[in-house]
Amino acid sequence: MAGHTGASPFLVSPSTGRAMTPSASYGGGEDGKPAAGDAGAAFVLESKGTWWHAGFHLTTAMVGPTVLTLPYALRGMGWALGLAALTAVAAVTFYTYYLMSRVLDHREAAGRRHIRFRELAADVLGSGWVFYAVVTVQTAINAGITIGSILIAGNCLQIMYESLAPNGTLKLYHFIIIVAVVLSLFSQMPSFHSLRYINLGSLVLAFGYTILISGACIRAGMMSNAPVKDYSLSPSKSGKMYDAFLSISILATVFGNGILPEIQATLAPPAAGKMVKALVLCYTVVFFTFYLSAISGYWAFGNKVQSNALQSLMPDSGPSLAPTWLLGLAVVLVLLQLLAIALVYSQVAYEIMEKGSADAGHGRFSWRNLAPRVALRTLYVAACAFVAAALPFFGDIVGVVGALGFIPLDFVLPVVMYNMALAPPKRSAVYVINVAIMALFTGVGIIGAIASVRKLVLDAGQFKLFSDHVIS
């Protein structure tokens, strides 16, 4: 594309206007290896993977139980607008992730391979505050998803327990503790790359529960006593507007990633071109799981669909609308995948910990590095589990974090960085499209955050610390 200067040995700093050589790179040297003494890069973000490994990581980061909220997203916009919005957000995110990969490839070609989102953004945008802003937003997203994964996994165990022992005495926090113990053990896997086969399993699990729950929704919609299908929207204009923007906020969160540079860091250098193949693999899975879940759930329940399709199949009153064995198997598959998702989104935190506590001069499994790794990662999981148990209404909070976090990181920053790093002509289609995406999704993020805060306020009456029930 116009403006591509990847073959140049020098780059111009946006902040100083002076040329920068490859030795000034944040992420590493010309060979793609981490800078000496960078234990976070050497141990957690080791670059040994193939494009399909990156595809497994991307799929786990994007295709999770949140796909079961897609019927609810359609509920806020109806068939035509809902499917159009789903398709538009899918296309825009594929495009912005592709642009971010191009920026990373461009920097690598110039001898400046970046392996962290925060350092890429600070380098391209040329401002120290950007580094800390990205760290803050990315950390909030990653911790929020880890907390949410622990909470919902605990809730899955609780559902299975209550179906087997309706009068049992165990509470939600007991199951959260069980999940935290298991997660803390798996968290000792040393690197992002070491999760590649777990994330392949996560991909298979996503296919499994999507097919099961979508099939159950279709079956429920065809039953003689099926709920009446009503696809009408809110009668008030303000209600329609808030529902629509809440739906867009849900879509942005479902398609959110926030860790693409860290995933690309796991690729063996040179990484150029490999991430596009990984994105194609990921979005092949996205297309099947997202559309199947959205269409089947909304078709079956209409505007009565719950915030999670699984809840629609298990109404509070009356019998379940799917066989018990199917619901139980789906819950087990969701539970297992939540552990993989929590592991993926913990990697940025672990990389930060490792960079500050480990010594790259010693072996990865030396006592010098093993002791702080075990202690810090266990403490991190324990802290996330405590928040999950204390705030079982965390889903509403994550909605706000998603609007304020995923949209800047996944929709706005990639197009801004592309325009600055590769400098396409201002009258070119690429530049104009990028500016339009930036303007549109900045507005969507603000309004989506307002809609999410509104839902938080409306649900506030149900909130109770250490409640035994998850507020959805």
Side-chain angles (χ1 to χ4, degrees):
M1 292 186 182
H4 194 309
T5 58
S8 171
F10 293 94
L11 297 172
V12 176
S13 167
S15 60
T16 65
R18 295 191 295 272
M20 299 185 294
T21 63
S23 61
S25 171
Y26 289 101
E30 294 179 61
D31 58 358
K33 294 180 180 179
D38 189 345
F43 295 159
V44 181
L45 299 179
E46 62 176 347
S47 302
K48 296 171 61 177
T50 61
W51 67 264
W52 59 86
H53 294 151
F56 301 158
H57 300 325
L58 273 172
T59 303
T60 300
M62 289 181 60
V63 185
T66 50
V67 301
L68 303 180
T69 66
L70 289 173
Y72 189 76
L74 292 192
R75 168 190 173 275
M77 292 184 285
W79 278 115
L81 185 58
L83 289 175
L86 175 62
T87 303
V89 174
V92 169
T93 51
F94 184 92
Y95 175 70
T96 57
Y97 293 148
Y98 167 73
L99 291 188
M100 188 183 298
S101 177
R102 285 291 309 278
V103 174
L104 288 162
D105 290 348
H106 170 74
R107 286 311 204 221
E108 182 179 3
R112 300 168 60 80
R113 187 181 191 198
H114 289 286
I115 60 175
R116 301 176 177 97
F117 200 141
R118 57 192 185 271
E119 293 171 348
L120 172 67
D123 182 22
V124 174
L125 302 179
S127 176
W129 68 266
V130 173
F131 177 91
Y132 296 102
V134 172
V135 168
T136 301
V137 173
Q138 193 182 40
T139 300
I141 289 174
N142 294 346
I145 292 176
T146 302
I147 292 166
S149 297
I150 293 172
L151 173 60
I152 303 305
N155 187 225
C156 288
L157 283 177
Q158 184 183 38
I159 290 171
M160 291 187 286
Y161 172 75
E162 290 179 348
S163 66
L164 296 173
N167 298 316
T169 58
L170 295 182
K171 304 296 183 183
L172 176 61
Y173 71 87
H174 292 118
F175 301 106
I176 288 174
I177 292 172
I178 293 171
V179 171
V181 170
V182 174
L183 184 60
S184 65
L185 294 175
F186 279 104
S187 291
Q188 306 312 320
M189 299 183 72
S191 69
F192 208 151
H193 179 65
S194 64
L195 303 180
R196 59 196 182 280
Y197 296 119
I198 288 179
N199 290 338
L200 170 59
S202 170
L203 186 156
V204 175
L205 292 170
F207 271 117
Y209 65 71
T210 299
I211 291 171
L212 287 172
I213 294 175
S214 297
C217 287
I218 294 171
R219 175 182 179 273
M222 296 176 66
M223 292 169 63
S224 58
N225 60 341
V228 177
K229 297 178 179 64
D230 181 2
Y231 305 110
S232 61
L233 303 179
S234 173
S236 68
K237 289 185 178 180
S238 61
K240 288 179 183 177
M241 182 186 70
Y242 277 115
D243 286 348
F245 279 105
L246 178 60
S247 295
I248 292 173
S249 181
I250 290 171
L251 292 177
T253 301
V254 170
F255 279 95
N257 184 307
I259 55 173
L260 188 138
E262 285 80 5
I263 291 175
Q264 185 156 333
T266 66
L267 290 168
K274 296 177 182 176
M275 205 61 184
V276 176
K277 297 178 182 178
L279 281 168
V280 170
L281 170 60
C282 175
Y283 272 78
T284 300
V285 179
V286 163
F287 180 83
F288 178 84
T289 56
F290 282 32
Y291 280 87
L292 180 60
S293 176
I295 293 172
S296 62
Y298 187 52
W299 173 81
F301 300 103
N303 60 16
K304 298 296 190 294
V305 70
Q306 299 296 312
S307 60
N308 184 310
L310 191 57
Q311 293 174 333
S312 297
L313 293 168
M314 298 187 297
D316 293 333
S317 59
S320 295
L321 300 178
T324 302
W325 69 264
L326 185 149
L327 294 174
L329 179 57
V331 169
V332 170
L333 299 183
V334 168
L335 166 64
L336 293 174
Q337 201 208 16
L338 285 165
L339 294 174
I341 292 171
L343 287 171
V344 163
Y345 278 97
S346 297
Q347 295 306 304
V348 174
Y350 296 161
E351 180 272 318
I352 293 173
M353 294 174 190
E354 209 96 337
K355 185 175 181 180
S357 66
D359 184 348
H362 291 74
R364 174 184 294 168
F365 297 106
S366 66
W367 280 110
R368 164 64 184 83
N369 292 325
L370 187 61
R373 179 185 304 131
V374 171
L376 289 173
R377 294 187 181 191
T378 302
L379 283 173
Y380 178 78
V381 172
C384 289
F386 177 81
V387 175
L391 308 176
F393 46 85
F394 197 76
D396 281 0
I397 299 174
V398 170
V400 179
V401 172
L404 294 175
F406 278 124
I407 288 179
L409 292 188
D410 295 328
F411 293 84
V412 178
L413 277 180
V415 297
V416 172
M417 289 192 295
Y418 185 89
N419 280 358
M420 293 188 68
L422 279 79
K426 291 187 177 181
R427 294 186 179 181
S428 67
V430 171
Y431 187 92
V432 173
I433 290 171
N434 290 352
V435 171
I437 290 173
M438 178 190 69
L440 175 63
F441 281 94
T442 297
V444 166
I446 294 171
I447 299 174
I450 293 172
S452 297
V453 170
R454 175 177 178 266
K455 185 176 187 300
L456 188 69
V457 172
L458 292 175
D459 290 346
Q462 305 176 57
F463 296 163
K464 181 181 177 183
L465 291 175
F466 295 99
S467 171
D468 192 40
H469 301 285
V470 175
I471 305 299
S472 58

